[in-house]
Each structure stands twice: as C-alpha cells, then as structure tokens.
Amino acid sequence: MSARRAASARARRPATWRTVFGAPLLVGAATLVGLASALFFEGTGWVVSWATLSLPLGLVAWHLWRGLAPRGSGPGRAAGRGGAASRREGTG
Amino acid sequence: MTASRIRAWAFVHKWTSLVSTLFMLLLCLTGLPLIFQHEIDEWVGASAGPAAVRPGQARASTDRIAAAALADHPGKVIQYLGWDLHEPDAVFVILNDAAGSHPNASVSSVYDANTARRLGPPGSAFMGVMLRLHVDLYARLPGKLFLGAMGTLLVAAIVSGAVLYWPFTRRLPFGTVRPERARRVVWLDLHNLLGIVTVAWLTVVGATGVINTLSEPMINHWKATELGRMIAAHAGPAPARLASLDAAVARAREAAPGMTPGFIAFPGTPFSTSHHYGVFLRGTAPFTARLLQPVLLDGETGAVADTSRLPWYLTTLLVSQPLHFGDYGGMPMKVIWALLDLVTIVVLGSGLYLWWSRRRRPAPARAVPAAGAASA
C-alpha cells in the first residue's frame, strides 16, 4: 500500500474523540494523580508522582525520536508520512 | 465542529496567547532557577548550611536565637521568627526598625537551630532579582495583579488550544511529527504534541500561580475580617517586657495539639495584636504541613488568648503554593518541574513562530478554516 493510499484510508476512518483525545486524557489524568499523590503521601506518593509526571516527558522524547530519527535507525512509521490528507492540516 | 466555531476558538487562542506569551516566557525563564532556589543559594554560598548535629546535642532555645539576632542587628526589633519547612535545622528571623514598619525596610537572617549561630542572609541577590521579576516585575501589588491577569489569559489559551487540538490532529495518529515536511508543519506538530501532553501540568501551575498573585488581597481581607476581629477583641498596650518565646510556643502547641510551630509574629506586626504574639502552627503530615493555624498569646505572660482556623481562601492559597513551586516531591520532582518548564518554553516559542510565519504568508492561512470546514 502506498503512503498516499494509506493516508487517505486513514482520512476516511471517522475520527472519534477517543482516537484524538484518548492519549492526552490519560496523560492529563496521570499528571493530576501524580500532583496529588506527592501532596498527600510521602514516600510512595513521591515515587508515584515522579513516574506519572515523567509520562509527558517520556511521550515527547519517544515521539521526537520516532519522528525525527533518520529513516532506518528509528522505529519509523510504516506508511502515511506526509500523505495528501495530512498535508491539509499542515497549514494551521 | 463548524468552521465558524473553529475560527472563534482560533481567535481566542491567538489573542490570549499573543498578549500573554512574552510575560509567560519571562515567568518560565525566571521560574527555572527559582525551582532550584535552595540549591543555587547554597551553591553560590549565600548562606552556610546548618552545622551537623552532634549526638545528644540539645536545640538552641528560641529565646537564645532571638537574642543573637537582636545582638547581630543593633537598633532593630524582631518582626517575625520562623522555622524553615524544608530545612528543619534553620530558623529565619526578620527584623525591622519597628514592629509595624514596612516589609520593604526589613532585614532577614538565617540562624542555626542547634547552635544559634548566624548562617547568613536568606538568599543571594541573584535569586532575589529572579523572585521579584517572577512575582511582581518590581511593581508590587499592581505587578502581581498584572501577572495574575496574564496567567488567566494563559489558562484561556490552554483551554482554546486543547479545543483546537481536535481539528488540527483528528486525521493524524497521536504524536505525529513530520520532519520531511515544511519547517512550519514540523513546528506545528511539535506545538501540538508538546502542548497537549503538558496541558494538565501547565493548567495547574498556571492556575495556582494566579491564586498566588491574589495572596496580598486575600491576607488583607482576612486581616480586615476574621483576624481583625480576633485582634480587636484582644488589643492592649504594647508589652512592657516580652514573655519567653519558648514558653509561648509551648503553650501554643498545647492549644493546637499535634501541630508544630511555623512562625511567630511579634506584638505590633500585622499578624498579631499590639499586645500579643501570633504563633502560627502547621501540621506534620505532607499536606497539613502547608496549612497554618494562628494562636494569639499574651505578650507579657505568654498565656493563650485566642485561636482560630484559617478561612477557606487562605487554605486554598497555602495548598496552591506547593502545586506552583514543585517543591514537595524531592529533587526528582524539581528536575521534572524544570524539564516541563523547558517544554513549556518550546510550546510558547513555537506558538509565536507559527503566528509569525503565518503572518508573513497570509495566503495559506485561509486554508485553515477550509480544512476545518471539511472536517466539521
């Protein structure tokens, strides 16, 4: 399947709030849990806060590496990099 | 989502961001060293750390520390004496020309809680500058309220940004970064990714920052109402001879079981009466350590006169402080706070770049609502 066809297939797939906001909502919930846990529980609560508050940083690092690493060295994306459909979004 | 709605949210996002961005960048840059205020001050040697406690060594009495502070600052009187939340072996003393003098004229010193030895000023000049730039831009209350307004705009920018995340990423897998595309697209991808994963953290830090900008009006309101009534009911002549601080603190602890002293306001200061000490105690658990309970004690006899609980708005203020400072989860949390701060700087910078680059090339800008309309 060509990149263009993969991208247009994805474009046809209806976007739901879960595909768009699912990951951000989980990260946000984890952040709030972490912020509260350190406030109420010393020790375990601190460790929980370090783990959950690192999540956004880890996601940023992971996706930057995935997206910016030269092709071949990173895990890369199978298809759809810069497809026709996603190009339209690029102008915002 | 209709095109007109997207345009409306984009309008809100653009203007709330544009107005606040430069100030937010300043707050991010000055806030970065402030996260490590304690470490930096120790590193530059602003104040020596407390000496190691020898086994069996008794703590210096509070009266002895107060006497040492008065001897070190001839002609001054003590306004406040308190115990550092993060450094249990350090006692800070704030002195001034008179008990009721303006805080800007005060001098502060830190003392070793075990030896009553003077450790130095509470912070370096550099951190003092960072703090003023971060807190009030050297403009006192108007500066604070102005930064509070900018923080409110930031929260509005975050909300509108989260709404716009939908039309801009609905066709893309989460976290898409497209380096092979135009520079503007890459920065848009980064703006979306970095912005959306830090939404919760930045909202909490922004909102608690806004609450902190209101600390002065909140405390003034408390002084005009509850604390004021408590003080008015017990006003009296200035004490001829001050009661022992250690005796007063011991009685205050009896009045507030399970709590530990946070700071003492001396008679004549805004947090006490002309005749009474105000001893402010805090809890010992991580959460309750942030809350304070005031106890008024007779300045001459040290007897408990009155006590009350903090009103809800001051409780909110005190709880919002650690959530803004990130100082309640050890060094790893401070490092995470700093990294999230750096991510925020990239979000602000990329947002500014996206606005600027679109301004220079107005034609593609019209494609945005079109794309949004297609998705609506």
Side-chain angles (χ1 to χ4, degrees):
Chain A
M1 191 189 267
S2 75
R4 184 173 288 264
R5 276 177 59 197
S8 59
R10 198 174 52 241
R12 278 198 303 272
R13 192 186 62 193
T16 64
W17 69 267
R18 213 182 290 196
T19 56
V20 174
F21 284 113
L25 279 173
L26 283 178
V27 177
T31 302
L32 296 180
V33 167
L35 290 173
S37 71
L39 198 56
F40 290 101
F41 308 101
E42 224 159 340
T44 329
W46 284 24
V47 178
V48 170
S49 78
W50 301 337
T52 51
L53 293 176
S54 299
L55 191 62
L57 298 170
L59 281 171
V60 167
W62 165 251
H63 285 289
L64 282 188
W65 181 62
R66 225 172 102 115
L68 298 182
R71 271 171 203 271
S73 70
R77 292 217 168 77
R81 281 184 164 210
S86 53
R87 188 162 295 146
R88 275 192 292 164
E89 257 85 23
T91 48
Chain B
M1 206 177 211
T2 64
S4 60
R5 273 214 188 151
I6 293 173
R7 264 196 300 273
W9 281 109
F11 179 84
V12 172
H13 191 62
K14 177 171 135 186
W15 286 106
T16 52
S17 305
L18 272 181
V19 172
S20 62
T21 287
L22 283 182
F23 296 99
M24 288 305 133
L25 278 171
L26 173 78
L27 292 179
C28 283
L29 290 171
T30 53
L32 202 54
L34 285 172
I35 299 170
F36 303 104
Q37 182 168 27
H38 212 85
E39 289 75 15
I40 293 173
D41 276 341
E42 214 157 90
W43 180 58
V44 301
S47 67
V53 187
R54 290 192 309 275
Q57 182 183 13
R59 284 176 95 80
S61 74
T62 309
D63 288 316
R64 204 177 123 207
I65 294 171
L70 287 172
D72 288 341
H73 302 86
K76 304 269 184 192
V77 299
I78 299 176
Q79 284 185 305
Y80 306 99
L81 182 151
W83 290 264
D84 193 311
L85 183 61
H86 299 290
E87 181 54 82
D89 289 324
V91 174
F92 64 85
V93 184
I94 300 173
L95 304 99
N96 214 326
D97 299 322
S101 296
H102 194 274
N104 281 8
S106 68
V107 287
S108 302
S109 277
V110 182
Y111 286 82
D112 190 315
N114 299 300
T115 63
R117 194 172 58 91
R118 183 170 184 265
L119 297 173
S124 60
F126 168 73
M127 293 311 296
V129 172
M130 291 296 111
L131 189 66
R132 285 300 300 274
L133 284 175
H134 192 84
V135 169
D136 69 352
L137 299 170
Y138 284 92
R140 298 203 193 173
L141 182 59
K144 287 184 191 176
L145 297 178
F146 175 77
L147 289 180
M150 292 299 116
T152 311
L153 288 181
L154 170 76
V155 174
I158 294 172
V159 171
S160 53
V163 172
L164 289 172
Y165 183 77
W166 166 265
F168 280 105
T169 65
R170 58 187 288 273
R171 290 169 200 278
L172 303 169
F174 174 74
T176 297
V177 182
R178 295 164 286 179
E180 70 282 0
R181 301 282 302 277
R183 188 194 294 171
R184 189 165 193 290
V185 179
V186 180
W187 280 110
L188 174 69
D189 286 344
L190 290 176
H191 187 74
N192 285 334
L193 170 62
L194 272 57
I196 202 69
V197 295
T198 51
V199 157
W201 178 81
L202 191 58
T203 305
V204 168
V205 172
T208 51
V210 170
I211 293 173
N212 273 292
T213 63
L214 301 173
S215 61
E216 247 177 86
M218 283 184 190
I219 291 170
N220 285 341
H221 178 74
W222 184 49
K223 286 198 290 205
T225 56
E226 281 181 62
L227 184 67
R229 278 197 292 277
M230 196 165 134
I231 287 172
H234 298 279
R241 196 179 157 278
L242 284 173
S244 156
L245 293 171
D246 295 283
V249 167
R251 292 218 174 102
R253 294 180 80 146
E254 283 170 24
M259 299 186 89
T260 179
F263 71 91
I264 304 171
F266 278 60
T269 60
F271 292 94
S272 58
T273 79
S274 51
H275 187 72
H276 294 76
Y277 285 119
V279 176
F280 288 73
L281 299 106
R282 59 175 171 235
T284 49
F287 179 68
T288 59
R290 306 285 169 173
L291 307 178
L292 292 166
Q293 179 170 348
V295 179
L296 278 186
L297 301 110
D298 190 294
E300 281 177 4
T301 66
V304 174
D306 205 349
T307 180
S308 74
R309 301 190 73 84
L310 277 195
W312 65 269
Y313 50 89
L314 287 185
T315 302
T316 308
L317 172 67
L318 292 173
V319 172
S320 77
Q321 288 180 339
L323 290 169
H324 187 75
F325 304 154
D327 63 347
Y328 64 109
M331 184 46 85
M333 183 186 266
K334 291 187 182 186
V335 173
I336 292 169
W337 227 255
L339 291 172
L340 289 169
D341 184 291
L342 291 173
V343 170
T344 304
I345 291 176
V346 177
V347 174
L348 294 169
S350 58
L352 207 54
Y353 166 79
L354 289 169
W355 164 76
W356 181 254
S357 64
R358 196 164 100 181
R359 229 179 115 261
R360 277 173 42 214
R361 292 187 295 115
R366 265 173 245 128
V368 180
S375 68

